[in-house]
Amino acid sequence: MATPRRHTAPSTAHQAADALPPQAPAALRPAPHPPLPAPPPATPADAHHTALAHALRAAERGHPVIPLTRGKLPALRSPHHDHGAADDPAAPPCHGACGRLGHGVHDAATDPLAIRRMFAAAPWATGYGIACGRPPHHLVGLDLDTKNGADGPTALRLIAEAHGFHLPATVTVLTPSGGRHLWFTGPPAPPVANSVGRLAPGIDVRGAGGYLVGPGSLTTHGRYVLAPDAPGRPAPAPPGLLALLHPPLGTPTSRPHAPVRTRPQPPAAALLRFVRASPRGQRNARLFWAACRAYESGLGPELAERLVAAARHTGLADTEARTTVASAARR
């Protein structure tokens, strides 16, 4: 006697698949294949070799380089770190005359053998720095921040407008934090000094004795990359910009028996626009900078109330705005 065939129900997975309408969202449909694994992150060795390759290419273009750590610091420790107590405190610091590595930006080189030697001595290096102020380009870097409420690109644009100079297209490096570095060539002398926020909030200057993180470097926050469509060579720094960067910033430049020439100051309208465009977190800093420029140009008493009103427009309290302007007047 034939055994009657039992009707077996389809599996739960098949039932669920058959029950879904054709237009069901993809996220609800069973995946035909398991997803592919994500590519593995770059190993330290990979990042090291990538940084070395980029550093060698930069050196071919005449930029002296040094290896950097993920923290953007020189990767080689000073050979004099153990001798601070024994050294003569009156002696000048060693900038590499001892022949050993570990003197920071003073080690920067364009010679491929010297670069390979530095990277071989620092296998943990995942980036490289480009020395500023060194021949043949005498590089000047502008670090434009957009973090913590800063708006360096807008500040630079307003400064260029206020001082009547044009910012040419130049090498631009995008930073992991959303900022950017602009590279310019400068004259051999006088040297451009390093500064942080002195030109305007959100603008740091890299000059003689400083360095810029090179594109292709991997840091703890991400990788530095060249901006798309940026020129391959740095443009000359506009003379109007150099006039603002030469030290000491904001002080008169004079020669014996020559008339004193002061740094030109932004016109009133540009200062007011600069304050009114302040983002949250930079309102006080921008107001103080603008008020200082106003008092340096002799417009302080005339512009004080208008600067306070511009700051109130951004949401800054009246008392805080007046205190900031008063501090600039006493500076």
Side-chain angles (χ1 to χ4, degrees):
M1 178 178 176
T3 304
R5 298 180 60 186
R6 294 178 58 191
H7 176 72
T8 57
S11 67
T12 305
H14 289 173
Q15 282 181 330
D18 293 340
L20 288 173
Q23 68 273 18
L28 300 178
R29 300 175 191 160
H33 301 288
L36 294 175
T43 66
D46 291 338
H48 178 84
H49 291 310
T50 299
L52 173 59
H54 281 281
L56 290 170
R57 282 198 289 270
E60 289 177 357
R61 299 183 177 95
H63 298 297
V65 299
I66 56 170
L68 299 180
T69 67
R70 282 180 180 261
K72 302 184 289 186
L73 296 175
L76 293 170
R77 193 177 187 184
S78 169
H80 310 290
H81 67 276
D82 291 333
H83 311 297
D87 289 346
D88 179 4
C94 179
H95 289 166
C98 66
R100 291 176 288 177
L101 296 175
H103 298 86
V105 72
H106 302 289
D107 288 342
T110 56
D111 177 59
L113 291 179
I115 296 169
R116 291 182 182 278
R117 178 188 173 212
M118 285 189 285
F119 272 83
W124 51 85
T126 60
Y128 67 102
I130 295 180
C132 297
R134 297 269 295 270
H137 301 296
H138 303 282
L139 201 66
V140 176
L142 298 185
D143 181 356
L144 308 181
D145 277 337
T146 57
K147 58 186 178 183
N148 300 324
D151 190 359
T154 299
L156 181 61
R157 187 175 68 250
L158 290 172
I159 290 171
E161 176 187 342
H163 291 276
F165 62 82
H166 170 70
L167 286 168
T170 190
V171 175
T172 303
V173 178
L174 305 180
T175 72
S177 63
R180 58 187 56 206
H181 293 168
L182 304 184
W183 297 11
F184 296 100
T185 59
V192 172
N194 298 288
S195 64
V196 177
R198 295 175 65 188
L199 185 62
I203 302 179
D204 297 342
V205 179
R206 300 288 180 263
Y211 60 86
L212 291 162
V213 180
S217 296
L218 181 64
T219 70
T220 53
H221 297 292
R223 194 176 294 277
Y224 284 66
V225 297
L226 281 171
D229 304 324
R233 295 178 180 274
L241 175 62
L242 289 174
L244 301 176
L245 298 182
H246 283 147
L249 194 64
T251 60
T253 57
S254 62
R255 294 174 297 177
H257 312 296
V260 173
R261 296 179 301 162
T262 57
R263 178 166 66 100
Q265 298 297 335
L271 291 175
L272 294 171
R273 284 198 302 272
F274 185 66
V275 173
R276 288 175 67 90
S278 302
R280 186 177 297 274
Q282 281 291 312
R283 296 174 298 188
N284 214 327
R286 283 200 181 199
L287 175 61
F288 181 74
W289 183 86
C292 287
R293 303 292 84 78
Y295 278 100
E296 287 173 4
S297 63
L299 297 174
E302 176 185 344
L303 284 183
E305 286 299 324
R306 297 172 65 186
L307 287 170
V308 169
R312 285 202 308 263
H313 173 80
T314 68
L316 199 65
D318 182 81
T319 302
E320 187 176 0
R322 293 184 183 279
T323 300
T324 300
V325 172
S327 297
R330 294 190 299 267
R331 186 172 178 263

